[in-house]
Amino acid sequence: MDLIRLLRSLEEFLYELVGWLVFYPRMFWRVLIHPGEVALYTRRERGKDLEHRFSDAISPVLMLILSVAIAHLPPSSSDLQQGGDHSRT
């Protein structure tokens, strides 16, 4: 594989990752505060060309995948030390 092509792929991935880090919290907040407006926004965006869809937000499918992945992250070691075993309360 060509080194330049590999570096460009890495650059595109990092750009997408930073975009997710910016747009995910913003979109999550919008879903919590104004869910109806987010539904209308999604309908409007689905009518656009594929290249121009969700240019200022994360797509609903990616939002769902990231939300499920974050919800299933294992707890940190500090959470385990502070929380202990809650089943014996």
Side-chain angles (χ1 to χ4, degrees):
M1 183 174 229
D2 188 17
L3 181 62
I4 299 297
R5 204 177 299 165
L6 180 66
L7 289 174
R8 284 191 180 141
S9 296
L10 179 64
E11 178 186 13
E12 290 175 11
F13 172 73
L14 290 175
Y15 180 78
E16 286 291 321
L17 184 65
V18 169
W20 295 348
L21 292 174
V22 171
F23 289 132
Y24 179 80
R26 182 176 173 220
M27 191 65 176
F28 188 75
W29 182 252
R30 286 171 64 184
V31 167
L32 289 177
I33 301 302
H34 305 290
E37 290 180 20
V38 172
L40 293 173
Y41 170 76
T42 303
R43 288 189 189 119
R44 281 194 310 267
E45 292 294 310
R46 289 186 60 206
K48 294 182 180 179
D49 294 333
L50 286 175
E51 295 177 6
H52 299 100
R53 284 184 185 174
F54 303 105
S55 59
D56 62 336
I58 197 167
S59 73
V61 174
L62 189 56
M63 178 76 179
L64 178 64
I65 290 170
L66 289 174
S67 297
V68 169
I70 290 170
H72 284 86
L73 287 175
S76 67
S77 60
S78 62
D79 290 340
L80 293 175
Q81 290 172 358
Q82 291 175 359
D85 187 11
H86 295 292
S87 63
R88 291 188 258 160
T89 56

